[in-house]
Amino acid sequence: MELSPKLIKEINELADACPNKKGALLPVLYLVQKEYGFLSESILKDIAFILNIPEVFVFGVTTFYTMFHTSEQAKNIISVCTNITCSLLGSEHIIKTLENILKIKPGEMTKDKKFSLNLVECLGSCGTAPVMMVNGDLHENLTEEKIKRILDTYK
Amino acid sequence: MDYPSITLRNIKEPDSHKINTYLKSGGYKGLTRVLDDMVPEEVIGSIKRSGLRGRGGASFPTGLKWEFARRDRNFPKYIVCNADEGEPGTFKDRILIEKDPFAIIEGMTIAGFSVGAEKGYIYIRGEYVKGAEILRKAIKEAKEKNFLGKNIQGKDFNFDLDVYMGAGSYICGEETALIESLEGNVGYSRIKPPFPINVGLWDKPTVLNNVETFSLVAPIIVNGDEWFSNIGARDFPGTMIYSLSGHVNKPGLYELPTGINLKTIIYEFGGGIKDGKKLKAVFPGGLSSGCLNENEIDIPMDHKALAKVGSMLGSGAIIVINDETCMVEIARRGMKFFRHESCGKCVPCREGTFWISKIMLRIVNGEGKKEDLDLIKDLGQGMKTAAFCGLGLAAANPVLSIIKNFPKDFESHINDKKCAYNNK
Ligand SMILES: Cc1cc2nc3c(=O)[nH]c(=O)nc-3n(C[C@H](O)[C@H](O)[C@H](O)COP(=O)(O)O)c2cc1C
Ligand code: SF4
Ligand code: FES
């Protein structure tokens, strides 16, 4: 995997907009992850080179934040909230339903790489619990029937 | 009774996130007045007199914060909005961002004028993809109408904003960890003092406030500080958005005067407990606040009253729990959260959250011992006294408050080796 000239240009633009190149690291990681789906070791090394910061520093930051991925991800990432309010209102049942439909356990990816299933902390939507996110979309007041319909829209 | 609605007043309007809707409903009157008729000291004086205190959890007087930053002659200065909203139970900032982004932007711009800053950042949690998009569009619209950018409204004042996305870390909501994250670092909190007001982003003076705090600024300028200081509790005036969730009939956001009674919020506004069940426990200020039992909820939502019963106001997130719930499971779940979010920098929090989590798992699985409760209390007390930052200081609150309020739930797990409720 190699950074395209276009990406390198965009990375430099982000870096130049900061008082210090390092300040662009999170936006740069997002930008590159959007392009490739995840952040490989070689890509992270390239980013460290462009931003002129140590490689271990880039690895450290990448692995500290849960939303950066260092391995291949499914096309659609399902994140089910399992914090207090959602678990009071049935997140466990939501997880079971998803496990049954997708035939995977939390932390796994379907064989066709279409979906992965993750359990996450409070998504800031407790008033409409239980909730989950698929990629960037929030889905609220979940029920078994609703989940089936939602998944269909991502196939 | 009718209460004033300030920050939530616009959210039901269609297209409330567009600048024309905002302008029609009186938006930017605050900034216009500030630029036309006021000097920075007057703005700060007004915010001070209003009694506004931060809505992000720590309740620091906002005007004072701005005054300290104004007095610092080190430039450039920065304005940062804390939109990291991660405290379990809290969902007010997301709605403010999605439904009334210009109120935040106007508040930040007024802050920039007041302290002498030309640049601001909105640090938004990574999961709020939609919110970030709305904010970026709003910033663009504001620039087009010259409410952001150079020589704003023809005056000698420049101010620009950027949206910066977090990436899934609760600790980055703590102000110094947030600044570290904005600088491209791992979110380790910094030692205080120095405070961000003097040594903040890129070691420059930085005003950091919560989303709701910034949203209250322009209305205070427009309606007057006296108006604001007469709403709600004397020492913590104004309205506050309560995020009500859990086993209640009408969960949602309620903007009510500060100091209102907790029981009133749950029963009159929230419609009481769902499915005709009985109330068992309430977290009044998010998971970090620890919980109250049913006899403690007839209480005003103010700092002193809540501190007296060992809890806190926090972000005003009220989580309601019915009497068919096993509180041991809630304690386990709560500690799992803090264990996951602990940054690992200091021993009391890193080890405390790890070991209490292990012990809780053992208890839930029916392998708990009598001594376990004392062990948890010891570890928890150690965290409360010796943790480096607010996360570790609060992380034991849920489990300790549950041991105190619901010892019977623990007894059945430890003595009878099973859960007394079938919802495990
Ligand atoms: C662990 C931890 C998490 C926090 N998370 C948030 C948060 O998500 N949003 C927020 O506004 N404040 C949060 N705070 C409080 C901030 O440190 C800070 O006090 C606040 O943003 C200041 O703004 P205010 O004065 O307007 O309240 C958190 C504090 C701690 C210790
Ligand atoms: S208290 Fe916890 S989150 Fe805070 S510095 Fe220590 S380990 Fe990190
Ligand atoms: S607990 Fe699930 S969104 Fe807050």
Side-chain angles (χ1 to χ4, degrees):
Chain A
M1 229 185 261
E2 242 180 55
L3 292 171
S4 63
K6 180 174 153 277
L7 263 184
I8 293 175
K9 190 170 154 268
E10 285 173 14
I11 292 173
N12 278 317
E13 280 166 10
L14 283 172
D16 291 342
C18 277
N20 172 332
K21 279 191 179 188
K22 190 187 66 181
L25 182 52
L26 267 69
V28 165
L29 293 174
Y30 266 122
L31 175 78
V32 177
Q33 178 164 285
K34 198 167 170 211
E35 188 77 16
Y36 298 107
F38 73 105
L39 299 158
S40 70
E41 195 179 323
S42 66
I43 286 282
L44 289 175
K45 285 182 177 173
D46 289 348
I47 292 173
F49 183 78
I50 299 173
L51 296 181
N52 197 16
I53 44 183
E55 286 173 9
V56 310
F57 186 87
V58 175
F59 292 143
V61 168
T62 306
T63 51
F64 177 84
Y65 295 97
T66 55
M67 293 178 74
F68 296 130
H69 313 295
T70 51
S71 59
E72 191 183 359
Q73 298 294 302
K75 195 167 153 222
N76 303 296
I77 301 178
I78 303 173
S79 306
V80 185
C81 174
T82 60
N83 210 295
I84 303 290
T85 300
C86 283
S87 52
L88 287 175
L89 296 174
S91 62
E92 206 161 314
H93 183 64
I94 301 304
I95 299 162
K96 288 253 157 63
T97 306
L98 285 162
E99 284 177 349
N100 287 338
I101 298 174
L102 301 170
K103 309 266 181 299
I104 53 174
K105 294 267 166 218
E108 293 176 356
M109 171 163 44
T110 54
K111 276 213 186 79
D112 58 9
K113 298 185 182 171
K114 249 185 205 152
F115 290 105
S116 63
L117 177 59
N118 298 315
L119 309 185
V120 300
E121 300 296 353
C122 181
L123 287 170
S125 188
C126 329
T128 48
V131 303
M132 68 177 184
M133 283 190 83
V134 184
N135 310 326
D137 313 324
L138 181 70
H139 298 283
E140 305 163 272
N141 294 313
L142 292 175
T143 59
E144 207 172 320
E145 298 73 52
K146 233 174 157 175
I147 287 178
K148 285 179 191 141
R149 268 184 279 135
I150 292 167
L151 290 186
D152 281 339
T153 64
Y154 289 92
K155 275 180 184 165
Chain B
M1 211 176 146
D2 248 1
Y3 293 115
S5 176
I6 305 172
T7 47
L8 294 183
R9 70 189 182 284
N10 290 330
I11 64 165
K12 293 218 173 81
E13 293 279 315
D15 286 336
S16 61
H17 61 288
K18 300 234 169 92
I19 197 159
N20 286 333
T21 322
Y22 187 64
L23 288 169
K24 243 184 266 158
S25 67
Y28 277 115
K29 267 197 190 145
L31 180 66
T32 308
R33 174 166 308 167
V34 163
L35 294 178
D36 285 350
D37 305 328
M38 295 169 93
V39 295
E41 285 76 9
E42 284 176 303
V43 182
I44 293 175
S46 182
I47 298 297
K48 272 174 80 176
R49 280 192 304 278
S50 77
L52 174 63
R53 287 163 66 172
R55 298 295 195 256
S59 302
F60 191 83
T62 306
L64 209 55
K65 206 182 247 189
W66 292 16
E67 187 169 58
F68 290 146
R70 165 101 203 139
R71 280 203 203 133
D72 201 315
R73 301 318 286 167
N74 188 358
F75 290 90
K77 302 177 186 178
Y78 296 104
I79 308 294
V80 176
C81 175
N82 189 342
D84 196 49
E85 189 165 65
E87 180 61 36
T90 319
F91 49 100
K92 63 185 177 84
D93 294 342
R94 182 173 61 84
I95 301 297
L96 290 176
I97 292 163
E98 290 180 7
K99 299 290 183 190
D100 208 356
F102 289 102
I104 306 163
I105 294 171
E106 187 180 358
M108 292 183 76
T109 312
I110 293 173
F113 176 82
S114 306
V115 308
E118 298 199 337
K119 177 85 196 176
Y121 293 93
I122 303 175
Y123 185 99
I124 184 168
R125 62 180 291 191
E127 291 85 350
Y128 288 181
V129 179
K130 184 177 165 199
E133 209 163 288
I134 288 174
L135 281 171
R136 286 198 180 103
K137 279 202 189 119
I139 289 170
K140 197 165 156 265
E141 282 191 325
K143 274 186 196 164
E144 282 163 7
K145 291 228 177 339
N146 192 220
F147 285 112
L148 281 176
K150 296 249 179 280
N151 298 322
I152 292 175
Q153 302 303 303
K155 298 287 179 341
D156 180 23
F157 168 55
N158 308 328
F159 191 70
D160 206 354
L161 273 180
D162 265 335
V163 176
Y164 191 98
M165 285 198 99
S169 162
Y170 167 69
I171 186 62
C172 288
E174 194 281 332
E175 54 187 5
T176 60
L178 186 152
I179 288 170
E180 286 288 320
S181 184
L182 258 174
E183 292 182 0
N185 298 326
V186 162
Y188 285 149
S189 41
R190 296 175 178 171
I191 196 155
K192 289 186 270 194
F195 293 96
I197 298 162
N198 303 113
V199 185
L201 182 62
W202 310 114
D203 294 338
K204 295 295 181 185
T206 302
V207 165
L208 191 147
N209 280 122
N210 170 259
V211 167
E212 188 183 346
T213 313
F214 279 124
S215 302
L216 285 164
V217 167
I220 290 174
I221 299 293
V222 172
N223 299 300
D225 44 70
E226 202 183 325
W227 161 80
F228 189 80
S229 67
N230 281 324
I231 304 170
R234 276 206 159 266
D235 57 343
F236 181 57
T239 58
M240 178 156 181
I241 305 178
Y242 300 98
S243 308
L244 182 64
S245 76
H247 292 137
V248 280
N249 280 315
K250 291 188 279 177
L253 297 178
Y254 295 93
E255 183 181 15
L256 296 165
T258 52
I260 193 170
N261 188 291
L262 174 58
K263 201 169 174 180
T264 306
I265 302 178
I266 298 171
Y267 286 91
E268 280 177 34
F269 292 92
I273 312 307
K274 219 174 138 183
D275 304 327
K277 306 239 162 76
K278 270 187 65 199
L279 181 137
K280 179 169 186 175
V282 178
F283 286 86
L287 180 62
S288 295
S289 71
C291 70
L292 307 176
N293 65 46
E294 56 169 317
N295 301 317
E296 290 172 324
I297 63 158
D298 193 356
I299 192 171
M301 288 292 275
D302 76 41
H303 300 91
K304 276 187 210 129
L306 286 166
K308 228 182 251 170
V309 289
S311 187
M312 59 191 190
L313 184 62
S315 55
I318 303 166
I319 308 172
V320 178
I321 299 172
N322 74 21
D323 67 343
E324 292 181 2
T325 312
C326 174
M327 293 305 289
V328 175
E329 171 58 17
I330 301 287
R332 181 199 66 81
R333 189 62 194 76
M335 190 49 78
K336 187 174 170 218
F337 168 75
F338 288 111
R339 186 199 158 184
H340 180 244
E341 301 296 342
S342 168
C343 82
K345 171 169 157 161
C346 74
V347 175
C349 169
R350 182 184 64 225
E351 299 299 314
T353 55
F354 177 81
W355 287 104
I356 296 178
S357 287
K358 284 211 134 182
I359 300 166
M360 283 309 304
L361 197 62
R362 171 161 98 196
I363 295 175
V364 166
N365 288 337
E367 292 154 15
K369 305 180 193 125
K370 281 223 169 62
E371 314 84 83
D372 281 352
L373 293 188
D374 285 330
L375 195 54
I376 292 176
K377 282 189 214 161
D378 272 357
L379 286 164
Q381 212 47 52
M383 291 163 66
K384 277 179 94 113
T385 40
F388 183 81
C389 84
L391 187 150
L393 293 173
N397 287 346
V399 65
L400 294 180
S401 63
I402 290 171
I403 292 178
K404 185 182 103 199
N405 284 317
F406 305 100
K408 283 211 180 100
D409 286 17
F410 274 95
E411 277 162 28
S412 63
H413 271 274
I414 293 173
N415 300 342
D416 312 338
K417 313 272 173 226
K418 62 174 203 279
C419 182
Y421 310 81
N422 54 9
N423 67 345
K424 198 183 108 115

